[in-house]
Amino acid sequence: MSIFDVIAGYGVVPVISIENEKDALPLADVLIAAGLPIAEITLRTEAAIGAIAQIARHRPDMLVGAGTVLFEDQLEAVQSAGAKFALSPGIDVATLSAAKTLGLPFAPGVMTPSDVQIALRSGCNMVKFFPATAAGGLPMLKSLAEPFRHTGLRFNPTGGIRPDTMTDWLGYGPVAAVGGSWIASTQDISRRNWAAIYDRAEAAKASVHQFRLSGQTSV
């Protein structure tokens, strides 16, 4: 089973911007306890790579990846820190090539058919539709994805997705998982509001499970 198959199994990935490396392990423990042991740590803060390293080293049951990866050297840094996958908000050939050379599962950001074709040519099997809501929402993703549906390419829409819209996205077949930035906000992490993060993570996991049990999908 590939990393992206595992991510699809969870259906939702907490997207996290962490400002203090010391909060990494408590955060991981909360997500593990809630039954959602996965996180995309975005490289938007100086603490990000250290947080990835802490989780990878001390919480091996946690599937930790890196988000907002923009350049080749960042790919090397997050892989060395222990990230199991990486994502970016956009797409460029140099970063795609570097990820392939490193053997690091990588999902570039796409918003146009040309973006998708570049990703396919580079051998990607998952891409990040970003910014999902601002780019036109689910109707836009359907229009974008349908010409490529026969390729088996899967999508990870992220940006503006809420708990009440999550299953709408998951109901569209090519969507493997959504990015959930609401699960663990920077503010709640800084305040160490672990109870709120636990509740949101547990609720997100339950929503995915219940939705999939219902068998609701759209074409």
Side-chain angles (χ1 to χ4, degrees):
M1 182 179 291
S2 73
I3 288 293
F4 290 132
D5 288 332
V6 176
I7 291 172
Y10 289 116
V12 58
V13 180
V15 179
I16 293 163
S17 181
I18 191 166
E19 295 179 334
N20 191 329
E21 188 178 320
K22 293 181 180 179
D23 292 328
L25 294 184
L27 173 65
D29 289 339
V30 167
L31 294 175
I32 291 168
L36 194 61
I38 181 172
E40 173 191 335
I41 308 293
T42 68
L43 301 191
R44 299 185 184 186
T45 69
E46 293 183 359
I49 291 179
I52 291 169
Q54 286 291 317
I55 295 171
R57 183 178 304 119
H58 299 291
R59 299 295 184 270
D61 292 339
M62 180 88 172
L63 181 59
V64 62
T68 321
V69 177
L70 307 178
F71 307 108
E72 300 96 308
D73 60 337
Q74 290 180 320
L75 282 170
E76 296 173 2
V78 300
Q79 186 179 54
S80 295
K84 303 302 183 188
F85 62 97
L87 308 95
S88 66
I91 186 167
D92 69 86
V93 173
T95 308
L96 286 167
S97 178
K100 184 180 293 187
T101 298
L102 291 169
L104 181 64
F106 182 62
V110 302
M111 201 171 65
T112 70
S114 295
D115 292 341
V116 175
Q117 286 188 212
I118 292 170
L120 284 170
R121 184 176 290 275
S122 296
C124 296
N125 54 42
M126 183 181 282
V127 293
K128 180 174 188 171
F129 177 55
F130 179 85
T133 300
L138 186 54
M140 175 61 183
L141 176 59
K142 289 182 176 180
S143 295
L144 175 66
E146 281 305 312
F148 304 100
R149 191 159 183 164
H150 65 284
T151 69
L153 184 67
R154 296 181 292 180
F155 290 80
N156 169 222
T158 302
I161 295 172
R162 307 187 308 269
D164 60 323
T165 63
M166 175 177 64
T167 55
D168 294 336
W169 293 90
L170 290 173
Y172 178 51
V175 171
V178 301
S181 58
W182 76 87
I183 294 172
S185 70
T186 302
Q187 185 177 61
D188 277 334
I189 294 171
S190 296
R191 293 178 176 178
R192 304 175 74 82
N193 192 358
W194 306 129
I197 294 171
Y198 176 92
D199 288 345
R200 293 190 197 107
E202 187 178 51
K205 179 191 174 183
S207 292
V208 173
H209 179 68
Q210 292 167 8
F211 179 75
R212 288 177 169 170
L213 280 180
S214 73
Q216 299 178 51
T217 58
S218 64
V219 297

